[in-house]
């Protein structure tokens, strides 16, 4: 068996080879890029491959602004004007986030669309389109008091009817059905007051009304009888939004140009005159463009790229922000597989996989411990839960014997090219307890997703996002009712896990407003889940922004680049 250093070298070489291969890759290759931990991350939709961050400052704060000139720049005061060029290898299907999730949609979408609320770095809601809000004592309604000076890009006022239309459109069409499932109706009789009526208390609704999750779109354009999923105004230079920037150029899969909307409802915002989003499907083109000085900002497309720019004084490389995304790397164990049907067998697999080693070797150190399905920056994360971080091969063998599996067995592991470093790591780990992992490389993400959703796998690697609140991004992986029969749905309960006690705790947490009480319920639920061990948690990867020093007040809040860039400015 390879020593740790040798394995690290082997996997690093594999990573570099995969990245190099991407230069000549086909457009049908893994959409998220071939890096060490990259896979098609959970976006709940299927077209935006990276779902599966808020930031950009306090959009309801200082109304000052204006052109401060060079003196202002040198003193650190915001300067209005300039063009920021952003590189991405994520191509949005369109800009209408009421029917589509994902990083690709949310980055431009939160620039061209505003939402009712905004969450700060402490996970506290702040005003945006809604100046204030009230939750009824019984938790069965939420009242939004809207600004009276907000208009769409065509000059039409933004009213409660638009808020109601956007919420109900999302309820009927968005892949994250839990966000607005309890909404029964929205009263819009007062143009500046929207009253959301609920069938049950729903604390997650506040998070669901933030940038990246609920854009407010114009009813007078989209409520015309056409299919909202395929509406011709979902994209293009004629897209009418409610946010700080408006679309002036839209070349699908290539380039989106956004201009400052002069009538945006926050005085002096945005600072930037223009944002150019260059879409480069090949992650190596992103890397080369950054190195050549073509771009002001990008999300690092790979760990190797992060390492390359960390030591380059021309750039700032930061992992700040994006906590609400809550991406977790894990191994799904298929409970329909006979050998994995007992908790003892699954615990043995968990103990045999060197989770800390995976973070060090495969993730190149750019990942933190995350021992439950709730991301580790959340107030609902149970850091004291039962975990399998300490690799114990003797105990793993004992557990297999208890399960009657001490003679060894085989597991089928489908993997795309980007998943191979993890697959090889897991294969070598499990050989130590007599378990043979048969890695079966599949040609592309849709093939992998279809097999996992359909249950034709034993073990597989994926990344799943929390999306700010466990009701939105966590419960779906464990809820008994979210076990969807083949052909299934990717990033649902693909492990086929069911525990009625866990369901009861998750259901109670979903209607509990008190944060401490809610946290205790999630602590109890995740402890039970960990004892049942349907999933092996590998870690929470760090997402890095690469930017030039000229980019000031970058989007590093809880949603990172998936937030409005109203307060971003350029110092030169």
């Amino acid at each position: 068996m390879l020593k740790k250093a040798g394995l690290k070298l082997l996997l690093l070489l594999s990573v570099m080879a995969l990245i190099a291969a991407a230069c000549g890759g086909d457009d049908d290759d893994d959409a998220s890029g071939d890096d060490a931990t990259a896979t098609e991350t959970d976006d709940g939709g299927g077209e935006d491959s990276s779902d599966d961050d808020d930031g950009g400052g306090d959009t309801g704060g200082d109304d000052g602004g204006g052109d401060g000139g060079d003196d202002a720049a040198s003193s650190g005061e915001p300067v209005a004007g300039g063009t920021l060029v952003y590189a991405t290898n994520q191509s949005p299907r369109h800009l209408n986030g009421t029917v589509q999730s994902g990083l690709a949609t949310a980055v431009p979408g939160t620039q061209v669309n505003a939402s009712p609320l905004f969450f700060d770095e402490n996970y506290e809601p702040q005003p945006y389109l809604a100046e204030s809000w009230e939750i009824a004592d019984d938790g069965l309604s939420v009242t939004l008091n809207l600004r009276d000076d907000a208009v769409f890009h065509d000059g039409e006022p933004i009213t409660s009817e638009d808020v109601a239309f956007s919420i109900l459109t999302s309820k009927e069409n968005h892949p994250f059905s839990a966000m607005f499932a309890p909404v029964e109706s929205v009263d819009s009789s007062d143009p500046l007051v929207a009253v959301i009526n609920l069938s049950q208390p729903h604390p997650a609704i506040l998070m669901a009304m933030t940038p990246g999750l609920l854009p407010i779109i114009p009813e007078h354009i989209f409520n015309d009888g056409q299919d909202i999923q395929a509406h011709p105004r979902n994209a293009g230079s004629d897209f009418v939004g409610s946010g700080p920037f408006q679309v002036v150029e839209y070349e699908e899969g290539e380039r989106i140009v956004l201009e400052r909307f002069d009538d945006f409802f926050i005085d002096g915002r945005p600072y930037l005159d223009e944002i150019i989003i260059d879409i480069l499907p090949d992650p190596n083109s992103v890397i080369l463009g950054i190195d050549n000085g073509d771009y002001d900002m990008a999300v690092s497309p790979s760990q190797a790229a992060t390492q390359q720019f960390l030591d380059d004084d021309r750039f700032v490389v930061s992992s700040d922000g994006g906590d609400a995304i809550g991406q977790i790397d894990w191994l799904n164990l298929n409970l329909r597989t006979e050998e994995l049907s007992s908790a003892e067998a699954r615990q043995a697999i968990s103990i045999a996989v060197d989770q800390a080693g995976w973070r060090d070797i495969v993730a190149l150190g750019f990942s933190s411990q995350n021992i439950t399905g709730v991301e580790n920056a959340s107030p609902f994360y149970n850091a004291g839960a039962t975990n399998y971080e300490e690799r114990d091969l003797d105990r793993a063998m004992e557990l297999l014997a208890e399960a009657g599996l001490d003679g060894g067995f085989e597991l089928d592991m489908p993997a795309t090219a980007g998943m191979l470093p993890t697959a090889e790591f897991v294969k070598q780990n499990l050989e130590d307890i007599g378990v043979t992992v048969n890695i079966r490389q599949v040609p592309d993400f849709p093939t992998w997703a279809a097999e996992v959703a359909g249950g034709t796998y034993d073990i597989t690697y994926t990344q799943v996002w929390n999306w700010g609140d466990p009701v939105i991004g966590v419960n779906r992986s464990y809820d008994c009712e979210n076990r969807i029969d083949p052909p299934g749905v990717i990033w649902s309960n693909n492990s086929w896990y069911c525990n009625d006690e866990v369901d009861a705790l998750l259901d109670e947490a979903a209607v509990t407003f008190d944060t401490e009480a809610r946290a205790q319920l999630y602590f109890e639920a995740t402890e039970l889940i960990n004892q049942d061990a349907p999933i092996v948690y590998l870690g929470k990867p760090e997402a890095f922004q690469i930017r030039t020093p000229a980019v000031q007040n970058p989007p590093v809040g809880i949603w990172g680049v998936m937030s409005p860039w109203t307060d971003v400015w350029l110092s030169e």
Side-chain angles (χ1 to χ4, degrees):
M1 189 178 71
L2 287 171
K3 298 290 186 183
K4 186 173 182 180
L7 180 58
K8 187 167 187 175
L9 177 60
L10 173 63
L11 289 170
L12 182 57
L13 291 172
S14 298
V15 172
M16 298 307 294
L18 287 168
I19 293 171
C23 288
D26 190 275
D27 289 341
D28 292 330
D29 285 347
D30 296 341
S32 64
D34 290 327
D35 65 78
T37 60
T39 180
E40 291 66 16
T41 54
D42 150 39
D43 68 0
E47 300 232 11
D48 290 349
S49 62
S50 263
D51 6 59
D52 48 152
D53 325 32
D54 174 302
D58 180 5
T59 59
D62 176 14
D63 286 342
D67 187 357
D70 290 341
D71 289 341
S74 63
S75 66
E77 296 176 8
V79 175
T83 296
L84 187 150
V85 187
Y86 175 79
T88 179
N89 63 337
Q90 299 293 321
S91 180
R93 183 160 63 100
H94 54 64
L95 301 173
N96 186 353
T98 65
V99 300
Q100 175 72 35
S101 71
L103 177 68
T105 295
V107 170
T110 53
Q111 312 321 315
V112 299
N113 297 305
S115 58
L117 303 175
F118 189 87
F119 269 61
D120 64 20
E121 66 276 7
N122 297 314
Y123 283 78
E124 293 294 332
Q126 301 295 332
Y128 198 14
L129 272 171
E131 289 186 312
S132 62
W133 56 94
E134 299 92 38
I135 300 170
D137 290 341
D138 61 6
L140 295 180
S141 69
V142 178
T143 301
L144 301 176
N145 301 302
L146 305 179
R147 300 181 64 117
D148 63 3
D149 56 352
V151 298
F152 289 106
H153 296 161
D154 61 359
E156 291 292 318
I158 300 172
T159 71
S160 59
E161 291 187 359
D162 300 299
V163 173
F165 175 73
S166 301
I167 290 174
L168 296 176
T169 297
S170 180
K171 174 182 169 71
E172 295 171 6
N173 295 275
H174 199 280
F176 298 162
S177 59
M179 289 195 301
F180 299 111
V183 173
E184 291 190 323
S185 63
V186 183
D187 180 355
S188 57
S189 54
D190 184 327
L192 294 178
V193 180
V195 181
I196 306 165
N197 299 303
L198 305 168
S199 61
Q200 64 182 37
H202 185 45
I205 196 170
L206 298 181
M207 180 64 74
M209 292 192 293
T210 59
L213 291 175
L214 181 67
I216 299 305
I217 59 174
E219 183 183 22
H220 64 274
I221 288 177
F222 288 101
N223 192 15
D224 60 358
Q226 298 189 70
D227 178 10
I228 191 70
Q229 294 271 5
H231 200 286
R233 299 290 292 275
N234 281 345
S237 57
D238 62 347
F239 182 88
V240 173
S242 52
F245 295 90
Q246 57 188 341
V247 183
V248 295
E249 183 180 335
Y250 189 98
E251 299 178 31
E252 185 174 353
E254 296 182 13
R255 175 182 168 100
I256 301 172
V257 179
L258 310 175
E259 275 187 4
R260 182 185 197 274
F261 179 50
D262 290 335
D263 292 326
F264 184 55
F265 53 82
I266 298 178
D267 250 355
R269 302 294 195 279
Y271 290 126
L272 296 169
D273 284 339
E274 185 179 54
I275 297 172
I276 298 174
I277 300 175
D278 270 357
I279 301 166
L280 307 164
D282 176 7
N284 281 279
S285 297
V286 176
I287 296 169
L288 291 172
I290 295 170
D291 193 47
N292 290 336
D294 298 331
Y295 304 113
D296 299 298
M297 188 168 71
V299 173
S300 177
S302 69
Q303 284 91 349
T306 301
Q307 283 193 322
Q308 172 181 338
F309 292 109
L310 272 175
D311 299 324
D312 192 327
D313 292 339
R314 297 176 299 159
F315 303 99
V316 176
V317 181
S318 171
S319 62
D320 293 343
D323 285 337
I325 293 176
Q327 178 176 304
I328 304 173
D329 291 274
W330 73 37
L331 302 174
N332 270 115
L333 304 180
N334 189 350
L335 274 63
R336 288 167 286 187
T337 298
E338 182 179 355
E339 291 84 356
L340 299 177
S341 59
S342 70
E344 290 81 7
R346 299 190 298 270
Q347 290 169 4
I349 297 293
S350 300
I351 294 173
V353 173
D354 184 2
Q355 294 148 45
W358 179 89
R359 295 192 295 273
D360 179 42
I361 297 170
V362 181
L364 306 181
F366 298 136
S367 183
S368 60
Q369 182 187 78
N370 208 104
I371 61 172
T372 79
V374 177
E375 57 96 2
N376 58 28
S378 169
F380 309 122
Y381 176 67
N382 182 5
T386 293
N387 69 80
Y388 306 95
E389 278 282 315
E390 184 176 348
R391 193 170 189 237
D392 187 339
L393 298 179
D394 290 337
R395 178 57 182 153
M397 295 295 290
E398 290 173 2
L399 287 165
L400 289 181
E402 291 175 21
L405 296 169
D406 47 336
F409 56 93
E410 297 185 7
L411 295 175
D412 169 62
M413 187 175 192
T416 64
M419 302 176 191
L420 289 179
T422 292
E424 292 289 351
F425 185 87
V426 170
K427 176 183 176 69
Q428 292 196 28
N429 276 191
L430 296 188
E431 282 177 356
D432 293 341
I433 59 169
V435 176
T436 300
V437 175
N438 297 316
I439 300 171
R440 180 166 49 85
Q441 185 172 348
V442 296
D444 50 34
F445 166 70
T447 302
W448 173 86
E451 294 202 10
V452 175
T456 55
Y457 78 100
D458 297 325
I459 183 173
T460 197
Y461 164 63
T462 188
Q463 297 169 334
V464 180
W465 291 23
N466 271 210
W467 284 104
D469 190 285
V471 169
I472 302 171
V474 176
N475 297 16
R476 56 183 171 155
S477 297
Y478 310 97
D479 191 332
C480 295
E481 293 185 1
N482 210 32
R483 296 178 297 171
I484 302 170
D485 289 326
V489 175
I490 194 62
W491 297 304
S492 60
N493 186 345
N494 296 136
S495 283
W496 217 252
Y497 172 70
C498 184
N499 182 321
D500 291 337
E501 190 176 353
V502 168
D503 274 10
L505 289 165
L506 294 179
D507 289 346
E508 186 177 353
V511 299
T512 301
F513 276 94
D514 182 81
T515 300
E516 289 187 10
R518 234 185 141 201
Q520 185 57 42
L521 292 165
Y522 282 117
F523 281 18
E524 294 177 27
T526 51
E527 172 60 27
L528 289 175
I529 292 167
N530 281 19
Q531 291 175 20
D532 291 335
I535 287 166
V536 182
Y537 305 107
L538 298 173
K540 177 184 170 182
E542 297 178 71
F544 287 86
Q545 282 183 30
I546 303 170
R547 56 184 182 265
T548 65
V551 179
Q552 302 294 308
N553 202 23
V556 292
I558 66 170
W559 289 112
V561 292
M562 287 173 43
S563 62
W565 300 356
T566 46
D567 290 349
V568 178
W569 57 281
L570 298 174
S571 62
E572 55 184 60

